[in-house]
Amino acid sequence: MLKEYESGQAPDGQPFRLVTLGNDQGFQVILMDWGATWLSCQVPLLAGGTREVLLGCPTPMDYLRQNAYLGATVGRYANRIRGATLSHDGKRFTLAANQGEHQLHGGPEGFHNRRWQQVEQDQTSVLYRLHSADGDQGYPGNLVADVRYTVTEDNALQIDYHATVDKPCPVNLTNHGYFHLDGANSDIRQQRLQIMANQYLPVDSEGIPCADPTDVDNTGMDFRQPKTIAADFLRDRDQQRMKGYDHGYLLYPGLSSAEEPAARLWSADGEVQMEVFTTAPALQLYTGNFLAGTPARQGGEYLNYSGVALESEFLPDSPHHPEWPQPACWLKPTEAYASQTRYRFLAL
């Protein structure tokens, strides 16, 4: 269980505020208002007891000492924006760069690094809200974002995102949880994965798209049938550039209703399965290629490949690619951004 950090404070001088949600089956999650962060996920097992399946730090304060975005809500725009620039209606916007010349996950002071207001809470749900001012990290317009976490009776954590703006702005919110379904601080590449996608997005060594969405046929990027993450690891030039998987997958179009799983993950010991349902057009698969040095829940530090992230979102750098076959990522003042993702856990 996560330890309270009694002597430390968040950067705003106030204590961290933690919330525990659960159901009658023993499924339980812990969340934090700093970064609207998912801290813990306890899954009940058939043999009895529970298993922690989410990577996390020993204390809330340790989340300030890591740059892996563990469990955080990221925005305004999750993933990368090339050159940290935007252009729209003849206007050019310079964003705050935090990965070389590019912007990653909303910038150095993105939504992961903010105090979210806890608006509502009961035994199974909590609602967080954030106000982002015009010019924040270089983005145009005032934005109000809501993230609601809900524990369901079928052992899922449902995440509902909502946002409004008063000027056109790209919006792409996601959760950056890392999963290890075997519950150990060890390599995740023996876990099996399935992603319902015919196409992935090639990227260069900085994670910036270098081609249009490409068929997974006859490549190591193909997860349409379940296989271990290790099976084709580093087989492709695309993977070699990123030291593993860190790629967007364009999901089958019919999955946007979130009624059928977009991805499945199985523990290596065969005792836990996770299903991912989402209304987002894409999933980013990241195999923790640069996790080394991150404070680990059990003590010590995580190693590379200690967790796998499946982030629901638009494809990276979508503001520069309106031609890609997905909905527009630019939100207008007359619209509302809405996205839902569910992570459901089954004991086998």
Side-chain angles (χ1 to χ4, degrees):
M1 187 59 65
L2 196 80
K3 295 178 285 186
E4 296 286 352
Y5 193 88
E6 297 177 354
S7 60
Q9 294 177 325
D12 63 1
Q14 299 299 312
F16 302 97
R17 187 176 181 184
L18 276 59
V19 166
T20 300
L21 308 177
N23 64 17
D24 293 338
Q25 284 71 49
F27 179 66
Q28 179 179 283
V29 303
I30 301 176
L31 302 146
M32 174 171 67
D33 59 347
W34 191 263
T37 302
W38 186 9
L39 303 181
S40 171
C41 185
Q42 295 278 341
V43 175
L45 302 176
L46 289 181
T50 61
R51 175 178 292 180
E52 176 62 67
V53 297
L54 191 74
L55 299 197
C57 295
T59 73
M61 197 68 180
D62 288 311
Y63 282 82
L64 307 179
R65 304 187 180 115
Q66 54 87 31
N67 57 11
Y69 302 89
L70 291 185
T73 299
V74 293
R76 292 187 188 188
Y77 196 91
N79 219 307
R80 296 163 177 90
I81 294 181
R82 174 176 47 85
T85 60
L86 297 172
S87 296
H88 190 72
D89 286 343
K91 298 180 181 178
R92 181 180 172 89
F93 304 94
T94 300
L95 308 180
N98 62 327
Q99 184 182 287
E101 64 180 15
H102 313 296
Q103 188 186 83
L104 174 66
H105 293 327
E109 299 299 323
F111 291 178
H112 66 287
N113 205 19
R114 306 285 179 86
R115 171 86 62 181
W116 290 63
Q117 178 189 4
Q118 185 176 311
V119 179
E120 300 173 4
Q121 187 219 333
D122 58 28
Q123 291 184 340
T124 61
S125 182
V126 62
L127 174 64
Y128 295 112
R129 179 167 296 158
L130 183 69
H131 294 260
S132 176
D134 188 10
D136 183 7
Q137 304 300 286
Y139 286 98
N142 296 289
L143 177 144
V144 179
D146 285 352
V147 177
R148 181 181 290 277
Y149 292 97
T150 304
V151 165
T152 67
E153 284 305 303
D154 61 349
N155 292 351
L157 182 66
Q158 178 173 306
I159 311 175
D160 290 282
Y161 306 93
H162 184 274
T164 56
V165 293
D166 62 5
K167 295 180 182 178
C169 182
V171 177
N172 187 28
L173 305 178
T174 195
N175 184 277
H176 210 301
Y178 292 79
F179 302 98
H180 195 313
L181 298 191
D182 289 279
N185 185 2
S186 59
D187 198 302
I188 48 85
R189 286 175 287 183
Q190 292 307 312
Q191 298 184 15
R192 289 189 300 137
L193 176 63
Q194 181 180 26
I195 302 176
M196 309 306 184
N198 288 324
Q199 294 185 313
Y200 77 99
L201 189 62
V203 295
D204 64 19
S205 59
E206 296 180 295
I208 301 299
C210 58
D212 289 329
T214 299
D215 289 347
V216 299
D217 293 333
N218 303 311
T219 74
M221 312 301 292
D222 189 354
F223 282 93
R224 290 173 296 183
Q225 298 300 318
K227 66 179 181 181
T228 64
I229 296 171
D232 290 314
F233 199 75
L234 297 181
R235 166 182 161 184
D236 313 275
R237 176 84 183 277
D238 279 294
Q239 293 186 59
Q240 295 163 12
R241 290 168 174 161
M242 299 302 294
K243 302 187 186 310
Y245 293 102
D246 191 0
H247 298 82
Y249 282 80
L250 193 61
L251 298 171
Y252 299 156
L255 295 176
S256 60
S257 66
E259 294 180 359
E260 296 293 330
R264 295 183 176 95
L265 183 69
W266 290 265
S267 62
D269 67 5
E271 293 191 18
V272 177
Q273 177 186 342
M274 181 179 76
E275 296 177 327
V276 184
F277 303 79
T278 186
T279 61
L283 284 179
Q284 182 81 7
L285 167 63
Y286 177 49
T287 47
N289 313 337
F290 299 95
L291 267 173
T294 303
R297 185 190 310 279
Q298 305 93 331
E301 297 176 341
Y302 289 117
L303 302 175
N304 291 340
Y305 316 119
S306 293
V308 58
L310 291 163
E311 308 155 44
S312 55
E313 56 187 42
F314 289 109
L315 292 171
D317 201 36
S318 286
H320 292 132
H321 294 279
E323 74 279 9
W324 287 344
Q326 60 179 356
C329 66
W330 281 85
L331 183 65
K332 302 175 183 177
T334 56
E335 302 170 333
Y337 172 92
S339 182
Q340 182 187 97
T341 298
R342 284 181 291 136
Y343 296 95
R344 183 169 72 182
F345 299 88
L346 300 92
L348 305 176

